[in-house]
Amino acid sequence: MKFSNLFKIAWKALLRNKLRAFLTMLGIIIGVASVIAMTAIGQGSKKSISEQLSSMGSNMITIRPTSNVNVSGGARIGASGLRTLVSADADAIAKGSQNISSVSSAVQTNGQAISGANNWPTQLQGVNVNYFKIRDWDVSNGSLFTQRDDASSNKVCLLGQTVVNNLFKNGEDPIGSTIRFNKVPMTVIGVLAMKGANTFGQDQDDVIIAPFNTVQRRFLGITWVQTIYASSTSENTSAQASDDISNILRKQHKLPPDGSSDDFSVRTQAELISTMSSTSQLLTVLLSAIAGISLIVGGIGIMNIMYVSVTERTKEIGLRMSIGARGKDILFQFLIEAILISITGGIIGVVLGVTASTLVTTFLSWPTYITTSSIILSFIVCAITGVFFGYYPALKASKLDPIEALRYE
């Protein structure tokens, strides 16, 4: 019998029991929709993390002080109490590696910013001029401070947009105005371009940035550096730049070359992106696996209904065999029915999954990203499910004895 005829017979058989066929598809529909929606959410999260971390400076390398020394009671010294990095280390990094394009020392403190009757709790960061190149950050209004401002510890600053919104609520131009941070007056020379929230949900625009020496000397009164930011010449040289920094700092601090007693840590954006992406990918796989259980349930439903269909149509099977239908014709007829149920359910599931992903983005503002591979994979899984769970009932139908089938009541 021709395949086209078998297809028509299988399709007509399904149309005779539309409601039963739809209920059988329901498990497949829910499974496919769940897998696509979960994959879209996971991929969207992964893509969003990568974009947000790249926006902080795709070539950025962060060096922070650490300690392997335990104090009494077995507690480790906190990062805020460490003094292992100094400005000379930043200078050595800048001069000691050809894979480094920019370096900036950094310190920070929290406090209250005041302008007239308005005040706002925020963070003050002290950085060198190169910091803006490393972070790929510019001003939307005004200008950046200069190397001379840093060397002279001038009390000038740049405001993030969140700080501007809370200190200048009536829309005044902040450029040239004087604000106070922890009672110290500072002149606003620029407003930073908006960055938005980072991967960890922190508002990057809720910040005041001033020259490094100004914050280190006038606000903190310290001689050490809390963080050093560097930028590799390209993303491809980040790993080599990280190794260069480690070697330079070990030499600066007179540490063994094996790295066992390093008093600093070096982290590249590539490492952070890889770590966050792998965590997101693991979560996506876990959610997709849980959603995939629905496909197994749907497959079991197909097998159950096909068994019922074989029993109901025993006389029909006997009649077809008695007029010349072969066992493989009966096998393919019922197998095509199972695959049709599975594929149709898969198509509806894909539409439902894409719609659900769009609604999640629209109403919950969660990032989603639907890949073509997830849709193709869903169809392949549906076809396999139809064949796997429909084969045994179809095989049973093909092995019925025609005479016994005709006698079946």
Side-chain angles (χ1 to χ4, degrees), residues 8-17 20 313 333 337:
K8 289 176 183 177
I9 292 169
W11 185 252
K12 287 179 181 178
L14 292 178
L15 291 178
R16 283 199 300 268
N17 298 281
R20 186 170 72 181
R313 295 158 63 189
Q333 176 189 336
E337 284 187 31

Side-chain angles (χ1 to χ4, degrees), residues 231-290:
S231 178
S232 59
T233 52
S234 70
E235 289 186 34
N236 296 330
T237 60
S238 288
Q240 185 57 52
S242 176
D243 292 339
D244 291 347
I245 290 170
S246 296
N247 293 331
I248 291 168
L249 289 180
R250 287 192 198 108
K251 190 178 293 185
Q252 280 285 113
H253 299 178
K254 297 181 174 57
L255 300 173
D258 60 4
S260 59
S261 56
D262 286 352
D263 55 4
F264 59 88
S265 66
V266 182
R267 292 290 180 269
T268 65
Q269 286 296 92
E271 291 173 339
L272 189 55
I273 290 172
S274 176
T275 302
M276 297 295 290
S277 295
S278 62
T279 303
S280 176
Q281 185 67 30
L282 179 62
L283 184 60
T284 303
V285 171
L286 179 61
L287 291 174
S288 298
I290 294 171

